[in-house]
Amino acid sequence: MLPDKKGHFNGFGGRYVPETLIYALDQLEREYKKAKRDRAFRREFNYYLSDYAGRPTPLYLAANLSRYLGIKKVYLKREDLLHTGAHKINNTLGQILLAVRMKKPRVIAETGAGQHGVATATVAARFGLKCDIYMGTEDIHRQELNVFRMKLLGARVIPVRSGSKTLKDAMTEALRDWVTNVRTTHYIIGSVAGPHPYPEMVREFQAVIGREARRQILQKEKRLPDYLVACVGGGSNAMGLFYPFYNDKRVKFIGVEAAGLGLASGRHAATLVKGGIGVLHGSKSGLLEDKFGQVEIAHSIAAGLDYPGVGPEHAYYKKTGRATYAAVTDKEALEGFKLLSEKEGIIPALEPAHAIFYLTKLRRRINKNSVIIVCLSGRGDKDTQIVAERLRL
Amino acid sequence: MNRIERKFRELKRQKKKAFIAFITAGYPNLSTTKKLLLEFARIGVDIVELGVPFSDPMADGPVIQQASEVALKNKVNLRKILKLVKEARRVTQMPVCLMSYYNPIYCFPQDKFVRAAVDAGVDGVIVPDLPPEEAKGLLKTAQQSGLDIIFFLAPTSTGERIKLISQKTRGFIYYVSLTGVTGPRQKLPADIAVNLAAIKRITKKPVCVGFGVSSRAQVKQITRVADGVIVGSAIIKKIRENRKRADLVSRVSNFVLKLKA
């Protein structure tokens, strides 16, 4: 089972961090392994997942959408119905419980769309920890609602002005904070990215999505799905859905990245579809980079996908062919956004709107009797302003 | 024996400590970097550390971040930096290390980088985001070619880590004075002496201390307990203050002379 002891997924992953952080990663790994075996921890985690966050989430048969697409059945895993409005809370609950166990009085996080920032601020409020959130000024501008929510929850939102002023730079800045305050601070990384043990640990905390979905689909359909489809920025909602189906070899995984202004434009965030391999933020994985190894600036209308890296396990899935990856442009994502709103009365976040739109491409080349599960990773309230501007509503 | 090892032997004989100067290659431009390098050799800087600019320098504070940004805008890259070292090597035997984040090396790619670095006359490489666990490939080719890979220890390093890193590092150990990023500090942590003593009990390899060192007093404080001291951001700041002046090189040179006096 991967990763190996050093956090490698067949060459991807690992721990590319300053020496100062090794001690904190060792401590986190020890505490995480201990917690994983501890029944009391699992009980507590499950309690908060159900009574605080609202699990299990429904697996909803999107009948109108299915009919429109001419696909037998499209199910939506409704992570958008969770407390705080996205799947991010699954992971932040797990990590805040670990932070409490490690007796760290302070947590920090990076955020792009603000969903992970809100989910971190939420659990920090609930458990009484000090909380600082790093966010690029570009994202602060386009996700104003979430900035306001984080502040209401008692977190400090620290604007990051360097580089592209988005998620990548927020994460670099959070790592600098962590190097500085490593003894008193736990860094709640929001995706299946970063140094070991984060990719594995975040996957485990998010795998509740796939475990529920697997149980639910077997109950409803008496069979496994043909396809799992999810958007991929860092890739936590996708990995959470995919991983519990890993050994079900007939279930195909499709990750949908952001093609931004188009794959040929050079302004996109399609790391696995278009990028190379490199080292950023503590792990080796897919990376948008130039020929000199400088990290390129990503672009996507969805702040949560606007990241030049990707979780190392996705790079491994791509290399081995276990999953395939596609990309959807800003414009197409907006169509996906409208489509789900109009057909099902569900306003998705711009991130999963990429996955929704992808179905309109997928339908042309698959058996019409297919059963598909799409991870609806978050709801669209945070994006209404940006969408209203673009669609001139 | 390479130039770094020879330098530490020579210093030991003279009962002196190493003064290591860091500058970002290409800040404010490559020709100034070359002039500074040669000037540092002239005034007796023991080792120069040349920073390779990177888009996401996670171990660096604002001063070096900004210098990197300028260098990247000047289209500085590893190839050009190696060329600069090669040119400087014709006139000086001062040891030169490169400080680079891992990705530019990985993309060079790695094996080719080691050969090119040795060919250019680079003596050591310092990679802040590459602990020995991830350095197996680089270590193998570097050892075959006689290129030193210099590893870090930090205030948070355990006894186990000290053992591992003492064993893996070549040239010297880079001890990070504080938990944090690079950049001048008013005061350095009080635990440096105790932590260095713990390292010294385990290894005979030279230990040099960097991060935060910005004044003559701090240089003295460090060299009382360490084999060498590394000054970076303070020098970059001095370069920045004088970047528009024709006498930039002599002003920076005077500053460095005062630091190491």
Side-chain angles (χ1 to χ4, degrees), chain A residues 227-249:
Chain A
Y227 295 92
L228 303 178
V229 181
C231 63
V232 174
S236 71
N237 88 85
M239 193 50 68
L241 176 66
F242 295 171
Y243 184 69
F245 291 88
Y246 186 84
N247 291 322
D248 303 318
K249 296 294 179 203

Side-chain angles (χ1 to χ4, degrees), chain A residues 23-96:
Chain A
Y23 127 95
L25 293 169
D26 278 342
Q27 182 192 26
L28 177 63
E29 190 184 357
R30 266 198 314 276
E31 204 60 54
Y32 162 65
K33 292 250 156 81
K34 222 165 69 192
K36 216 173 125 179
R37 287 191 304 266
D38 181 355
R39 201 176 280 168
F41 176 85
R42 292 203 305 266
R43 204 181 304 128
E44 198 182 9
F45 182 42
N46 287 332
Y47 164 75
Y48 285 105
L49 283 179
S50 68
D51 287 27
Y52 187 69
R55 300 212 75 93
T57 58
L59 185 70
Y60 165 70
L61 173 60
N64 293 341
L65 182 67
S66 305
R67 209 171 305 123
Y68 170 80
L69 293 168
I71 297 171
K72 189 177 169 201
K73 282 177 180 175
V74 175
Y75 282 93
L76 303 177
K77 183 60 176 158
R78 298 289 310 273
E79 296 299 295
D80 61 317
L81 292 177
L82 283 175
H83 179 41
T84 71
H87 73 292
K88 295 290 184 190
I89 190 91
N90 301 327
N91 169 45
T92 58
L93 274 171
Q95 288 202 46
I96 201 86

Side-chain angles (χ1 to χ4, degrees), chain A residues 5-7 15 17-34 98 102 104 178 182 186 195-198 201, chain B residues 131 133 156-162 164-165:
Chain A
K5 269 191 185 153
K6 300 280 180 202
R15 247 184 209 179
V17 295
E19 177 65 24
T20 311
L21 291 181
I22 296 284
Y23 127 95
L25 293 169
D26 278 342
Q27 182 192 26
L28 177 63
E29 190 184 357
R30 266 198 314 276
E31 204 60 54
Y32 162 65
K33 292 250 156 81
K34 222 165 69 192
L98 290 180
M102 291 186 289
K104 305 253 173 166
W178 202 28
V182 58
H186 172 61
H196 178 63
Y198 284 98
M201 181 177 73
Chain B
E133 286 88 342
T156 52
S157 300
T158 59
E160 284 292 301
R161 296 294 298 175
I162 298 176
L164 174 75
I165 276 141

Side-chain angles (χ1 to χ4, degrees), chain A residues 21 38 45 57 66 99 111 116 127 157 165 174 180 185 207 213 218 252 267-268 291 309 312 336 351 363 378 392:
Chain A
L21 291 181
D38 181 355
F45 182 42
T57 58
S66 305
T111 197
H116 176 58
F127 289 88
V157 178
K165 306 175 177 61
T180 308
T185 298
L218 286 174
K252 295 180 190 74
R267 300 209 60 209
H268 60 79
K291 63 179 174 182
E351 289 79 9
R363 69 168 169 180
R392 300 211 180 84

Side-chain angles (χ1 to χ4, degrees), chain A residues 8 15 19 176 279 289 294, chain B residues 55 57 60 103 134 156 161:
Chain A
H8 293 123
R15 247 184 209 179
E19 177 65 24
R176 289 187 186 121
V279 172
E289 59 196 342
Q294 304 296 339
Chain B
S55 51
D60 285 302
N103 205 47
E134 305 293 351
T156 52
R161 296 294 298 175

Side-chain angles (χ1 to χ4, degrees), chain A residues 110-132:
Chain A
E110 82 293 338
T111 197
Q115 289 304 113
H116 176 58
V118 168
T120 302
T122 298
V123 295
R126 171 59 187 78
F127 289 88
L129 275 70
K130 217 180 145 239
C131 179
D132 288 333

